Amino acid sequence: MSGTDGVGVVGCGLMGSGIAEVCARKGLDVLVAVSSARSEENGRRRVERSLERAVSKGGIGPADRDAALGRIAFTRDLGGLAGRQLIIEAITEDESAKLDLFSRLDKDVEDPDAVFTTNTSSLPVMKLARVMSRPERVVGTHFFNPVPVMPLVEVTRSLLTSPESVERVETFLTKTLGKEVVRSPDRAGFVVNALLVPYLLSAMRMAESGFASPEDIDRGMTQGCAHPMGPLRLADLIGLDTLEAVAGGLYAEFKEPLYAAPPLLSRMVEGGLLGKKSGRGFYRYD
């Protein structure tokens, strides 16, 4: 980001930890705001494990790993983000939680030049921008999981976002982080999830009806269509709770049946079967 070497990240789950890691590996000072000591501990462990994998695969050396870890600090005070020119929100995909967070950021980070981005994968950016006194400074930046590996970021501007804010964010993503950017209009699901989610939900309905097993559905798409991963294993990787939330946002916006979460998905989420991160979804994981 022009004029600063520091970035603020809010949240340190799968996405927040990945964003913090990528920024730190590019030499940026990263301050991560978390809600509790447990969130900090889990977030720090996620970053450490990811960096260890990068070392084991030869992507970085031990010195680079240690340097990246040294650039990441944590805080439980949103006010600690004051002075950061770019603040990236990456908390859970929950509309009320995001609205509350942006409302607090508006009060705690008063720098008129700060740009705020949201990693939402389904919520219109306007919904979040409207609670801020500087809606022109709010941009959508949808990263993809795992952030250190996936090159794409969807950039979304609301009707109120200034061209300057979009330009600053896109320059940061492409020039500093080395990401690829696609622009999307401000509508639920943006480009990728508007196409991807109906496909994943269709695979779930096929399994739910007994038409085919999860293994055969996934094998059909990997071996028959050359997809790198089958839809149900991909759903497990994304997180079934996240997928249910995205589907809910899409259905609320468009009222199209293809966006509605099937009962099987809802029951799995209610039962804590969230996919790879919980150890069990459509498949079991160690």
Side-chain angles (χ1 to χ4, degrees):
M1 201 73 176
S2 177
T4 182
D5 291 326
V7 174
V9 177
V10 185
C12 205
L14 287 173
M15 300 306 296
S17 62
I19 293 168
E21 177 190 338
V22 166
C23 291
R25 286 173 63 172
K26 293 297 183 178
L28 300 172
D29 169 55
V30 185
L31 182 61
V32 183
V34 294
S35 59
S36 66
R38 182 177 181 183
S39 295
E40 176 179 342
E41 179 183 352
N42 290 339
R44 191 185 301 276
R45 189 179 300 117
R46 286 189 189 95
V47 175
E48 290 172 348
R49 284 200 300 258
S50 180
L51 288 169
E52 285 296 339
R53 284 194 295 271
V55 171
S56 68
K57 293 178 180 179
I60 61 174
D64 296 323
R65 173 201 60 204
D66 295 342
L69 286 172
R71 296 187 188 106
I72 301 175
F74 292 84
T75 181
R76 279 169 248 168
D77 176 18
L78 285 179
L81 299 175
R84 306 267 159 168
Q85 294 293 289
L86 178 64
I87 297 173
I88 304 171
E89 171 271 314
I91 65 171
T92 184
E93 189 71 357
D94 178 88
E95 181 176 341
S96 62
K98 287 182 185 286
L99 288 171
D100 176 67
L101 173 62
F102 273 85
S103 179
R104 289 188 291 132
L105 283 172
D106 194 47
K107 299 180 178 66
D108 292 340
V109 183
E110 298 179 350
D111 189 334
D113 294 326
V115 173
F116 303 84
T117 81
T118 172
N119 187 55
T120 181
S121 55
S122 63
L123 298 173
V125 175
M126 181 69 83
K127 285 190 175 184
L128 305 177
R130 71 186 183 188
V131 303
M132 302 196 75
S133 60
R134 296 157 286 173
E136 72 279 3
R137 297 279 180 180
V138 181
V139 182
T141 51
H142 178 211
F143 290 79
F144 289 80
N145 182 40
V147 179
V149 176
M150 300 295 283
L152 186 68
V153 181
E154 290 180 307
V155 172
T156 304
R157 61 177 296 179
S158 79
L159 294 173
L160 300 177
T161 306
S162 70
E164 177 200 15
S165 295
V166 174
E167 182 180 354
R168 289 174 63 187
V169 168
E170 288 189 348
T171 298
F172 170 79
L173 292 170
T174 58
K175 303 299 185 184
T176 303
L177 298 189
K179 294 293 188 180
E180 296 287 338
V181 164
V182 295
R183 291 189 178 187
S184 168
D186 188 20
R187 51 183 239 174
F190 313 129
V191 173
V192 173
N193 279 332
L195 294 169
L196 176 64
V197 170
Y199 162 63
L200 300 182
L201 299 181
S202 179
M204 292 178 192
R205 294 187 186 100
M206 183 175 282
E208 183 178 48
S209 70
F211 187 90
S213 68
E215 293 79 7
D216 281 345
I217 292 169
D218 281 353
R219 190 178 302 113
M221 297 310 294
T222 56
Q223 301 300 313
C225 295
H227 288 199
M229 185 178 294
L232 298 178
R233 195 169 290 280
L234 177 57
D236 276 356
L237 177 63
I238 293 169
L240 300 187
D241 53 340
T242 298
L243 190 56
E244 184 188 42
V246 174
L250 285 163
Y251 185 75
E253 176 122 324
F254 300 109
K255 300 299 189 293
E256 294 281 355
L258 75 165
Y259 292 127
L264 175 61
L265 175 59
S266 300
R267 296 297 87 76
M268 292 176 75
V269 172
E270 289 168 356
L273 309 179
L274 308 182
K276 189 172 184 179
K277 62 186 175 184
S278 70
R280 182 181 169 190
F282 288 95
Y283 299 90
R284 291 184 179 272
Y285 302 87
D286 292 335

